[in-house]
Amino acid sequence: MSYQTLCVLGLGYIGLPTASTFATHGLKVIGVDTNPAVVESLNHGNVHLFEPGLRTIVQAAFRSGNLVIKDQPQAADAFIIAVPTPFKEDKLADLDYVTAAAKAITPHLKKGNLVILESTSPPRTTVDIVAPILEKSGLTAGKDFYLAYSPERVLPGQILRELIENARVIGGVDEASAKAGKALYSLFVRGEIILTDATTAEMVKLMENTYRDINIAAANEFARLADRFQVDIWEAINLANRHPRVKILNPGPGVGGHCISVDPWFFVEAAPDLANLISTARTVNDTQPKYVLDFLKRNTGKVSGKKVAALGLAYKPDVDDLRESPAIETVKILRDAGAKVHVYEPFDLDYSIEGIETAHTVEQAAAQADIIILLVGHSKLKEIDPSKLAETTSARVVLDTVNGWNRGSWQSAGFTYIRLGDGKNK
């Protein structure tokens, strides 16, 4: 099987790198996004996302003449759906973007085409939802056109490298569809390509992120226990991890991002009677921002009326991705508790939250603060010199929720240093 043209629907953190990588490997690629601002930005040579190396590969794709940006799909040999799959207020999967993308492809679908769903989805989405929509074209999945599911398995900050080097799972509605998917991704994937059925591939993706969510929940619960038993959880984790078969993760203010904090709910939705451990882990991680507030109160007294400088809003260090960020949830909880909050996010200086002041520097955020809180372990924030900051801020209390600062350095600079999960703070 050979492909000359590809249409990628959704130009976010996965779709844009995927479209650009295929384009730089010789395919004619139509990148599609329904957001006019994204289309306009890309067509003017601007990249709307921060990801190391992304701007370079997008520009290379444009220079090759192989990448064009549109607001609607066009005919192609293959189609990739890489649109978001958020959840609704009731934690149920919102597949509106997926169904809209499938409907948009249907008028262009021809015999021999390949359609691949990459969006993280509940089990059986490919066969029970996407296939019936595409078959309204009059063609049959697995007979007239190929249909497969292939989840992205990349880490923000390393997307371009992992897109090429990571193993790729491709699940087809039949064996021929899986092989067709392999033929497409083989154009640039260097990692092992493993073939299976579509529903297994969907479950693999959810299992990977659920496994991590459960392990983070364990770390967060250990931190809560350590606080009660007056133990330093960071010391305890370091000692426990010396066991050759133990690898406890680090606690923090919660779990965010579009994957780990979302995907487990798809299992809970699909099988609520079975997903008990998964549901409990989600509850632990979702309530961790509230625990941060309670921890702060126990160690500093009332929060209402205090001025708080919150450093970091992204869901993880050194990325600009703020989706489902526990840091954002934490500052909202602080605001609702009566604190006057200033936030500083080095990767998105103008991000605004209702009722919260946005600062463009650490010094601006901390100038009039009573308390400084480190919510994200960005390299730039971990490198703050407490002695220099002490000269520009009225704050003398810091809360480190990610073990990103050195206790001794902050104490030497005159700060009271409190660390989440450290029961010895008392």
mmCIF file of all heavy atoms in Angstrom, residues 348-398:
data_model
loop_
_atom_site.group_PDB
_atom_site.id
_atom_site.type_symbol
_atom_site.label_atom_id
_atom_site.label_comp_id
_atom_site.label_asym_id
_atom_site.label_seq_id
_atom_site.Cartn_x
_atom_site.Cartn_y
_atom_site.Cartn_z
ATOM 1 N N ASP A 348 3.031 31.251 29.793
ATOM 2 C CA ASP A 348 1.812 31.899 29.312
ATOM 3 C C ASP A 348 1.563 33.124 30.196
ATOM 4 O O ASP A 348 0.756 33.090 31.123
ATOM 5 C CB ASP A 348 0.620 30.943 29.358
ATOM 6 C CG ASP A 348 -0.576 31.453 28.567
ATOM 7 O OD1 ASP A 348 -0.636 32.673 28.321
ATOM 8 O OD2 ASP A 348 -1.452 30.646 28.206
ATOM 9 N N LEU A 349 2.256 34.200 29.878
ATOM 10 C CA LEU A 349 2.279 35.367 30.758
ATOM 11 C C LEU A 349 0.935 36.069 30.877
ATOM 12 O O LEU A 349 0.699 36.796 31.845
ATOM 13 C CB LEU A 349 3.340 36.359 30.261
ATOM 14 C CG LEU A 349 4.787 35.875 30.335
ATOM 15 C CD1 LEU A 349 5.719 36.912 29.717
ATOM 16 C CD2 LEU A 349 5.198 35.585 31.771
ATOM 17 N N ASP A 350 0.058 35.877 29.902
ATOM 18 C CA ASP A 350 -1.193 36.623 29.895
ATOM 19 C C ASP A 350 -2.413 35.768 30.214
ATOM 20 O O ASP A 350 -3.548 36.224 30.041
ATOM 21 C CB ASP A 350 -1.382 37.302 28.530
ATOM 22 C CG ASP A 350 -0.307 38.342 28.262
ATOM 23 O OD1 ASP A 350 0.001 39.110 29.173
ATOM 24 O OD2 ASP A 350 0.240 38.358 27.140
ATOM 25 N N TYR A 351 -2.192 34.543 30.685
ATOM 26 C CA TYR A 351 -3.336 33.698 31.014
ATOM 27 C C TYR A 351 -4.109 34.323 32.177
ATOM 28 O O TYR A 351 -3.535 34.669 33.206
ATOM 29 C CB TYR A 351 -2.880 32.292 31.393
ATOM 30 C CG TYR A 351 -4.022 31.322 31.588
ATOM 31 C CD1 TYR A 351 -4.596 30.682 30.496
ATOM 32 C CD2 TYR A 351 -4.529 31.061 32.856
ATOM 33 C CE1 TYR A 351 -5.653 29.799 30.664
ATOM 34 C CE2 TYR A 351 -5.586 30.173 33.036
ATOM 35 C CZ TYR A 351 -6.140 29.545 31.935
ATOM 36 O OH TYR A 351 -7.191 28.681 32.101
ATOM 37 N N SER A 352 -5.401 34.462 32.002
ATOM 38 C CA SER A 352 -6.200 35.140 33.028
ATOM 39 C C SER A 352 -7.214 34.198 33.665
ATOM 40 O O SER A 352 -7.763 33.315 33.013
ATOM 41 C CB SER A 352 -6.931 36.342 32.420
ATOM 42 O OG SER A 352 -7.838 35.934 31.417
ATOM 43 N N ILE A 353 -7.444 34.417 34.942
ATOM 44 C CA ILE A 353 -8.434 33.679 35.719
ATOM 45 C C ILE A 353 -9.278 34.718 36.442
ATOM 46 O O ILE A 353 -8.737 35.636 37.075
ATOM 47 C CB ILE A 353 -7.772 32.728 36.731
ATOM 48 C CG1 ILE A 353 -6.817 31.757 36.027
ATOM 49 C CG2 ILE A 353 -8.823 31.955 37.511
ATOM 50 C CD1 ILE A 353 -5.976 30.926 36.973
ATOM 51 N N GLU A 354 -10.569 34.559 36.378
ATOM 52 C CA GLU A 354 -11.471 35.533 36.975
ATOM 53 C C GLU A 354 -11.185 35.702 38.470
ATOM 54 O O GLU A 354 -11.061 34.734 39.216
ATOM 55 C CB GLU A 354 -12.926 35.097 36.785
ATOM 56 C CG GLU A 354 -13.936 36.101 37.310
ATOM 57 C CD GLU A 354 -15.373 35.662 37.070
ATOM 58 O OE1 GLU A 354 -15.574 34.602 36.425
ATOM 59 O OE2 GLU A 354 -16.283 36.357 37.543
ATOM 60 N N GLY A 355 -11.035 36.944 38.870
ATOM 61 C CA GLY A 355 -10.823 37.241 40.277
ATOM 62 C C GLY A 355 -9.391 37.059 40.737
ATOM 63 O O GLY A 355 -9.109 37.151 41.942
ATOM 64 N N ILE A 356 -8.482 36.844 39.809
ATOM 65 C CA ILE A 356 -7.076 36.613 40.145
ATOM 66 C C ILE A 356 -6.207 37.522 39.282
ATOM 67 O O ILE A 356 -6.441 37.667 38.083
ATOM 68 C CB ILE A 356 -6.702 35.131 39.923
ATOM 69 C CG1 ILE A 356 -7.458 34.251 40.936
ATOM 70 C CG2 ILE A 356 -5.197 34.916 40.050
ATOM 71 C CD1 ILE A 356 -7.277 32.778 40.705
ATOM 72 N N GLU A 357 -5.203 38.134 39.899
ATOM 73 C CA GLU A 357 -4.308 39.031 39.177
ATOM 74 C C GLU A 357 -3.199 38.242 38.476
ATOM 75 O O GLU A 357 -2.659 37.285 39.038
ATOM 76 C CB GLU A 357 -3.682 40.038 40.142
ATOM 77 C CG GLU A 357 -4.684 40.979 40.792
ATOM 78 C CD GLU A 357 -5.296 41.949 39.799
ATOM 79 O OE1 GLU A 357 -4.603 42.312 38.826
ATOM 80 O OE2 GLU A 357 -6.469 42.332 39.990
ATOM 81 N N THR A 358 -2.880 38.650 37.255
ATOM 82 C CA THR A 358 -1.820 38.009 36.481
ATOM 83 C C THR A 358 -0.558 38.860 36.531
ATOM 84 O O THR A 358 -0.605 40.068 36.283
ATOM 85 C CB THR A 358 -2.246 37.817 35.018
ATOM 86 O OG1 THR A 358 -3.423 36.998 34.979
ATOM 87 C CG2 THR A 358 -1.146 37.148 34.211
ATOM 88 N N ALA A 359 0.564 38.233 36.849
ATOM 89 C CA ALA A 359 1.848 38.930 36.900
ATOM 90 C C ALA A 359 2.745 38.467 35.759
ATOM 91 O O ALA A 359 2.618 37.337 35.274
ATOM 92 C CB ALA A 359 2.529 38.661 38.242
ATOM 93 N N HIS A 360 3.650 39.317 35.351
ATOM 94 C CA HIS A 360 4.561 38.987 34.257
ATOM 95 C C HIS A 360 5.963 38.616 34.726
ATOM 96 O O HIS A 360 6.814 38.252 33.920
ATOM 97 C CB HIS A 360 4.635 40.152 33.263
ATOM 98 C CG HIS A 360 3.411 40.265 32.399
ATOM 99 N ND1 HIS A 360 3.281 41.207 31.416
ATOM 100 C CD2 HIS A 360 2.263 39.543 32.372
ATOM 101 C CE1 HIS A 360 2.101 41.066 30.811
ATOM 102 N NE2 HIS A 360 1.467 40.064 31.390
ATOM 103 N N THR A 361 6.191 38.724 36.022
ATOM 104 C CA THR A 361 7.467 38.306 36.601
ATOM 105 C C THR A 361 7.214 37.703 37.978
ATOM 106 O O THR A 361 6.167 37.957 38.602
ATOM 107 C CB THR A 361 8.444 39.484 36.761
ATOM 108 O OG1 THR A 361 7.913 40.405 37.725
ATOM 109 C CG2 THR A 361 8.683 40.202 35.427
ATOM 110 N N VAL A 362 8.183 36.956 38.456
ATOM 111 C CA VAL A 362 8.097 36.417 39.816
ATOM 112 C C VAL A 362 8.039 37.555 40.816
ATOM 113 O O VAL A 362 7.236 37.548 41.759
ATOM 114 C CB VAL A 362 9.315 35.512 40.111
ATOM 115 C CG1 VAL A 362 9.347 35.127 41.591
ATOM 116 C CG2 VAL A 362 9.289 34.260 39.246
ATOM 117 N N GLU A 363 8.881 38.546 40.590
ATOM 118 C CA GLU A 363 8.960 39.674 41.521
ATOM 119 C C GLU A 363 7.639 40.435 41.594
ATOM 120 O O GLU A 363 7.213 40.850 42.671
ATOM 121 C CB GLU A 363 10.093 40.614 41.094
ATOM 122 C CG GLU A 363 11.488 40.035 41.258
ATOM 123 C CD GLU A 363 11.838 39.010 40.190
ATOM 124 O OE1 GLU A 363 11.144 38.957 39.142
ATOM 125 O OE2 GLU A 363 12.796 38.250 40.408
ATOM 126 N N GLN A 364 6.982 40.600 40.440
ATOM 127 C CA GLN A 364 5.707 41.295 40.414
ATOM 128 C C GLN A 364 4.647 40.510 41.177
ATOM 129 O O GLN A 364 3.836 41.075 41.909
ATOM 130 C CB GLN A 364 5.254 41.512 38.962
ATOM 131 C CG GLN A 364 3.966 42.301 38.818
ATOM 132 C CD GLN A 364 3.514 42.423 37.372
ATOM 133 O OE1 GLN A 364 4.219 42.019 36.450
ATOM 134 N NE2 GLN A 364 2.331 42.973 37.157
ATOM 135 N N ALA A 365 4.652 39.192 41.006
ATOM 136 C CA ALA A 365 3.668 38.355 41.699
ATOM 137 C C ALA A 365 3.880 38.367 43.203
ATOM 138 O O ALA A 365 2.923 38.372 43.991
ATOM 139 C CB ALA A 365 3.750 36.925 41.174
ATOM 140 N N ALA A 366 5.147 38.389 43.612
ATOM 141 C CA ALA A 366 5.469 38.217 45.029
ATOM 142 C C ALA A 366 5.630 39.518 45.790
ATOM 143 O O ALA A 366 5.743 39.498 47.023
ATOM 144 C CB ALA A 366 6.754 37.395 45.155
ATOM 145 N N ALA A 367 5.616 40.656 45.099
ATOM 146 C CA ALA A 367 5.974 41.941 45.712
ATOM 147 C C ALA A 367 5.247 42.200 47.029
ATOM 148 O O ALA A 367 5.864 42.514 48.050
ATOM 149 C CB ALA A 367 5.723 43.071 44.726
ATOM 150 N N GLN A 368 3.918 42.082 47.033
ATOM 151 C CA GLN A 368 3.134 42.400 48.225
ATOM 152 C C GLN A 368 2.592 41.155 48.921
ATOM 153 O O GLN A 368 1.688 41.252 49.752
ATOM 154 C CB GLN A 368 1.964 43.311 47.823
ATOM 155 C CG GLN A 368 2.370 44.599 47.126
ATOM 156 C CD GLN A 368 3.256 45.472 48.000
ATOM 157 O OE1 GLN A 368 3.019 45.604 49.206
ATOM 158 N NE2 GLN A 368 4.281 46.057 47.400
ATOM 159 N N ALA A 369 3.149 39.997 48.584
ATOM 160 C CA ALA A 369 2.586 38.732 49.071
ATOM 161 C C ALA A 369 2.892 38.481 50.546
ATOM 162 O O ALA A 369 3.897 38.953 51.085
ATOM 163 C CB ALA A 369 3.110 37.577 48.227
ATOM 164 N N ASP A 370 2.003 37.717 51.155
ATOM 165 C CA ASP A 370 2.255 37.160 52.485
ATOM 166 C C ASP A 370 2.843 35.757 52.373
ATOM 167 O O ASP A 370 3.647 35.342 53.207
ATOM 168 C CB ASP A 370 0.953 37.087 53.293
ATOM 169 C CG ASP A 370 0.307 38.446 53.489
ATOM 170 O OD1 ASP A 370 1.006 39.366 53.947
ATOM 171 O OD2 ASP A 370 -0.892 38.580 53.161
ATOM 172 N N ILE A 371 2.389 35.033 51.334
ATOM 173 C CA ILE A 371 2.794 33.636 51.125
ATOM 174 C C ILE A 371 3.135 33.441 49.657
ATOM 175 O O ILE A 371 2.432 33.938 48.769
ATOM 176 C CB ILE A 371 1.665 32.669 51.516
ATOM 177 C CG1 ILE A 371 1.252 32.867 52.976
ATOM 178 C CG2 ILE A 371 2.083 31.220 51.278
ATOM 179 C CD1 ILE A 371 -0.033 32.122 53.348
ATOM 180 N N ILE A 372 4.197 32.701 49.397
ATOM 181 C CA ILE A 372 4.572 32.322 48.026
ATOM 182 C C ILE A 372 4.397 30.815 47.903
ATOM 183 O O ILE A 372 4.888 30.050 48.745
ATOM 184 C CB ILE A 372 6.024 32.703 47.711
ATOM 185 C CG1 ILE A 372 6.221 34.223 47.845
ATOM 186 C CG2 ILE A 372 6.407 32.242 46.304
ATOM 187 C CD1 ILE A 372 7.671 34.650 47.764
ATOM 188 N N ILE A 373 3.687 30.384 46.846
ATOM 189 C CA ILE A 373 3.451 28.954 46.659
ATOM 190 C C ILE A 373 4.027 28.500 45.325
ATOM 191 O O ILE A 373 3.714 29.087 44.273
ATOM 192 C CB ILE A 373 1.942 28.630 46.689
ATOM 193 C CG1 ILE A 373 1.305 29.087 47.985
ATOM 194 C CG2 ILE A 373 1.717 27.125 46.496
ATOM 195 C CD1 ILE A 373 -0.181 28.799 48.078
ATOM 196 N N LEU A 374 4.851 27.481 45.348
ATOM 197 C CA LEU A 374 5.356 26.858 44.118
ATOM 198 C C LEU A 374 4.415 25.721 43.736
ATOM 199 O O LEU A 374 4.312 24.730 44.445
ATOM 200 C CB LEU A 374 6.771 26.313 44.325
ATOM 201 C CG LEU A 374 7.393 25.609 43.117
ATOM 202 C CD1 LEU A 374 7.566 26.562 41.936
ATOM 203 C CD2 LEU A 374 8.732 24.962 43.486
ATOM 204 N N LEU A 375 3.716 25.874 42.603
ATOM 205 C CA LEU A 375 2.730 24.887 42.176
ATOM 206 C C LEU A 375 3.213 24.014 41.028
ATOM 207 O O LEU A 375 2.669 22.930 40.803
ATOM 208 C CB LEU A 375 1.431 25.591 41.755
ATOM 209 C CG LEU A 375 0.638 26.248 42.890
ATOM 210 C CD1 LEU A 375 -0.518 27.057 42.324
ATOM 211 C CD2 LEU A 375 0.121 25.188 43.858
ATOM 212 N N VAL A 376 4.202 24.484 40.272
ATOM 213 C CA VAL A 376 4.722 23.735 39.125
ATOM 214 C C VAL A 376 6.244 23.819 39.146
ATOM 215 O O VAL A 376 6.804 24.904 39.339
ATOM 216 C CB VAL A 376 4.197 24.312 37.790
ATOM 217 C CG1 VAL A 376 4.666 23.445 36.625
ATOM 218 C CG2 VAL A 376 2.675 24.410 37.798
ATOM 219 N N GLY A 377 6.892 22.697 38.915
ATOM 220 C CA GLY A 377 8.354 22.661 38.988
ATOM 221 C C GLY A 377 9.034 23.090 37.708
ATOM 222 O O GLY A 377 9.981 22.427 37.249
ATOM 223 N N HIS A 378 8.592 24.204 37.122
ATOM 224 C CA HIS A 378 9.297 24.740 35.954
ATOM 225 C C HIS A 378 10.759 24.996 36.319
ATOM 226 O O HIS A 378 11.064 25.467 37.430
ATOM 227 C CB HIS A 378 8.682 26.075 35.516
ATOM 228 C CG HIS A 378 7.315 25.972 34.924
ATOM 229 N ND1 HIS A 378 6.984 25.060 33.946
ATOM 230 C CD2 HIS A 378 6.186 26.710 35.146
ATOM 231 C CE1 HIS A 378 5.716 25.236 33.600
ATOM 232 N NE2 HIS A 378 5.215 26.217 34.311
ATOM 233 N N SER A 379 11.668 24.720 35.397
ATOM 234 C CA SER A 379 13.094 24.949 35.655
ATOM 235 C C SER A 379 13.345 26.387 36.093
ATOM 236 O O SER A 379 14.121 26.644 37.028
ATOM 237 C CB SER A 379 13.906 24.635 34.394
ATOM 238 O OG SER A 379 13.767 23.275 34.030
ATOM 239 N N LYS A 380 12.685 27.341 35.423
ATOM 240 C CA LYS A 380 12.881 28.750 35.749
ATOM 241 C C LYS A 380 12.452 29.059 37.180
ATOM 242 O O LYS A 380 13.075 29.893 37.856
ATOM 243 C CB LYS A 380 12.090 29.622 34.767
ATOM 244 C CG LYS A 380 12.286 31.113 34.958
ATOM 245 C CD LYS A 380 11.603 31.905 33.861
ATOM 246 C CE LYS A 380 11.859 33.407 34.040
ATOM 247 N NZ LYS A 380 11.260 34.211 32.946
ATOM 248 N N LEU A 381 11.412 28.402 37.653
ATOM 249 C CA LEU A 381 10.928 28.651 39.010
ATOM 250 C C LEU A 381 11.792 27.957 40.055
ATOM 251 O O LEU A 381 11.992 28.475 41.162
ATOM 252 C CB LEU A 381 9.472 28.204 39.136
ATOM 253 C CG LEU A 381 8.475 28.905 38.205
ATOM 254 C CD1 LEU A 381 7.067 28.367 38.443
ATOM 255 C CD2 LEU A 381 8.516 30.419 38.407
ATOM 256 N N LYS A 382 12.308 26.795 39.709
ATOM 257 C CA LYS A 382 13.172 26.071 40.652
ATOM 258 C C LYS A 382 14.493 26.791 40.850
ATOM 259 O O LYS A 382 15.165 26.613 41.865
ATOM 260 C CB LYS A 382 13.409 24.644 40.139
ATOM 261 C CG LYS A 382 12.151 23.779 40.179
ATOM 262 C CD LYS A 382 12.333 22.466 39.445
ATOM 263 C CE LYS A 382 13.233 21.517 40.168
ATOM 264 N NZ LYS A 382 13.290 20.189 39.507
ATOM 265 N N GLU A 383 14.855 27.625 39.880
ATOM 266 C CA GLU A 383 16.138 28.329 39.932
ATOM 267 C C GLU A 383 16.042 29.681 40.631
ATOM 268 O O GLU A 383 17.020 30.437 40.671
ATOM 269 C CB GLU A 383 16.671 28.508 38.513
ATOM 270 C CG GLU A 383 17.039 27.190 37.838
ATOM 271 C CD GLU A 383 17.279 27.328 36.345
ATOM 272 O OE1 GLU A 383 17.134 28.466 35.831
ATOM 273 O OE2 GLU A 383 17.617 26.318 35.693
ATOM 274 N N ILE A 384 14.890 30.022 41.170
ATOM 275 C CA ILE A 384 14.737 31.306 41.870
ATOM 276 C C ILE A 384 15.747 31.398 43.011
ATOM 277 O O ILE A 384 15.917 30.458 43.792
ATOM 278 C CB ILE A 384 13.304 31.454 42.418
ATOM 279 C CG1 ILE A 384 12.309 31.605 41.267
ATOM 280 C CG2 ILE A 384 13.210 32.645 43.362
ATOM 281 C CD1 ILE A 384 10.857 31.581 41.717
ATOM 282 N N ASP A 385 16.413 32.532 43.111
ATOM 283 C CA ASP A 385 17.364 32.781 44.194
ATOM 284 C C ASP A 385 16.590 33.388 45.366
ATOM 285 O O ASP A 385 16.159 34.540 45.294
ATOM 286 C CB ASP A 385 18.447 33.755 43.725
ATOM 287 C CG ASP A 385 19.536 33.962 44.766
ATOM 288 O OD1 ASP A 385 19.246 33.808 45.979
ATOM 289 O OD2 ASP A 385 20.671 34.306 44.397
ATOM 290 N N PRO A 386 16.404 32.653 46.445
ATOM 291 C CA PRO A 386 15.594 33.180 47.559
ATOM 292 C C PRO A 386 16.189 34.434 48.197
ATOM 293 O O PRO A 386 15.444 35.295 48.673
ATOM 294 C CB PRO A 386 15.539 32.010 48.535
ATOM 295 C CG PRO A 386 16.664 31.117 48.166
ATOM 296 C CD PRO A 386 16.867 31.285 46.706
ATOM 297 N N SER A 387 17.506 34.554 48.208
ATOM 298 C CA SER A 387 18.137 35.740 48.806
ATOM 299 C C SER A 387 17.785 36.992 48.021
ATOM 300 O O SER A 387 17.475 38.043 48.600
ATOM 301 C CB SER A 387 19.659 35.560 48.849
ATOM 302 O OG SER A 387 20.007 34.467 49.682
ATOM 303 N N LYS A 388 17.805 36.893 46.696
ATOM 304 C CA LYS A 388 17.456 38.042 45.862
ATOM 305 C C LYS A 388 15.964 38.342 45.942
ATOM 306 O O LYS A 388 15.558 39.502 45.984
ATOM 307 C CB LYS A 388 17.862 37.781 44.414
ATOM 308 C CG LYS A 388 19.365 37.756 44.193
ATOM 309 C CD LYS A 388 19.702 37.550 42.720
ATOM 310 C CE LYS A 388 21.216 37.555 42.508
ATOM 311 N NZ LYS A 388 21.572 37.336 41.072
ATOM 312 N N LEU A 389 15.144 37.277 45.985
ATOM 313 C CA LEU A 389 13.702 37.489 46.060
ATOM 314 C C LEU A 389 13.325 38.137 47.381
ATOM 315 O O LEU A 389 12.404 38.968 47.441
ATOM 316 C CB LEU A 389 12.966 36.161 45.882
ATOM 317 C CG LEU A 389 11.431 36.256 45.773
ATOM 318 C CD1 LEU A 389 11.028 37.088 44.561
ATOM 319 C CD2 LEU A 389 10.813 34.863 45.683
ATOM 320 N N ALA A 390 14.029 37.794 48.439
ATOM 321 C CA ALA A 390 13.736 38.352 49.757
ATOM 322 C C ALA A 390 13.864 39.871 49.767
ATOM 323 O O ALA A 390 13.222 40.558 50.576
ATOM 324 C CB ALA A 390 14.648 37.740 50.805
ATOM 325 N N GLU A 391 14.679 40.410 48.867
ATOM 326 C CA GLU A 391 14.891 41.853 48.799
ATOM 327 C C GLU A 391 13.717 42.576 48.136
ATOM 328 O O GLU A 391 13.589 43.802 48.269
ATOM 329 C CB GLU A 391 16.172 42.151 48.018
ATOM 330 C CG GLU A 391 17.433 41.582 48.665
ATOM 331 C CD GLU A 391 18.657 41.754 47.786
ATOM 332 O OE1 GLU A 391 18.499 42.286 46.647
ATOM 333 O OE2 GLU A 391 19.759 41.369 48.206
ATOM 334 N N THR A 392 12.863 41.833 47.420
ATOM 335 C CA THR A 392 11.790 42.476 46.642
ATOM 336 C C THR A 392 10.393 42.066 47.084
ATOM 337 O O THR A 392 9.411 42.512 46.491
ATOM 338 C CB THR A 392 11.943 42.137 45.149
ATOM 339 O OG1 THR A 392 11.791 40.720 44.964
ATOM 340 C CG2 THR A 392 13.313 42.566 44.631
ATOM 341 N N THR A 393 10.278 41.207 48.092
ATOM 342 C CA THR A 393 8.959 40.735 48.528
ATOM 343 C C THR A 393 8.782 40.911 50.026
ATOM 344 O O THR A 393 9.762 40.841 50.794
ATOM 345 C CB THR A 393 8.742 39.259 48.162
ATOM 346 O OG1 THR A 393 7.435 38.845 48.603
ATOM 347 C CG2 THR A 393 9.775 38.363 48.821
ATOM 348 N N SER A 394 7.536 41.122 50.417
ATOM 349 C CA SER A 394 7.221 41.197 51.841
ATOM 350 C C SER A 394 6.929 39.824 52.426
ATOM 351 O O SER A 394 6.817 39.666 53.636
ATOM 352 C CB SER A 394 6.010 42.108 52.055
ATOM 353 O OG SER A 394 4.904 41.657 51.268
ATOM 354 N N ALA A 395 6.790 38.819 51.565
ATOM 355 C CA ALA A 395 6.476 37.459 52.016
ATOM 356 C C ALA A 395 7.642 36.864 52.787
ATOM 357 O O ALA A 395 8.806 37.078 52.430
ATOM 358 C CB ALA A 395 6.149 36.577 50.824
ATOM 359 N N ARG A 396 7.300 36.104 53.800
ATOM 360 C CA ARG A 396 8.336 35.375 54.539
ATOM 361 C C ARG A 396 7.918 33.927 54.783
ATOM 362 O O ARG A 396 8.537 33.216 55.582
ATOM 363 C CB ARG A 396 8.632 36.068 55.869
ATOM 364 C CG ARG A 396 9.454 37.344 55.705
ATOM 365 C CD ARG A 396 10.812 37.060 55.069
ATOM 366 N NE ARG A 396 11.615 38.245 54.834
ATOM 367 C CZ ARG A 396 11.667 38.906 53.682
ATOM 368 N NH1 ARG A 396 10.923 38.510 52.649
ATOM 369 N NH2 ARG A 396 12.447 39.959 53.559
ATOM 370 N N VAL A 397 6.893 33.483 54.050
ATOM 371 C CA VAL A 397 6.440 32.090 54.122
ATOM 372 C C VAL A 397 6.335 31.547 52.704
ATOM 373 O O VAL A 397 5.761 32.198 51.825
ATOM 374 C CB VAL A 397 5.074 31.958 54.823
ATOM 375 C CG1 VAL A 397 4.598 30.506 54.788
ATOM 376 C CG2 VAL A 397 5.156 32.463 56.248
ATOM 377 N N VAL A 398 6.911 30.375 52.464
ATOM 378 C CA VAL A 398 6.783 29.731 51.157
ATOM 379 C C VAL A 398 6.249 28.317 51.350
ATOM 380 O O VAL A 398 6.604 27.631 52.318
ATOM 381 C CB VAL A 398 8.125 29.680 50.391
ATOM 382 C CG1 VAL A 398 8.616 31.086 50.078
ATOM 383 C CG2 VAL A 398 9.182 28.887 51.151
#
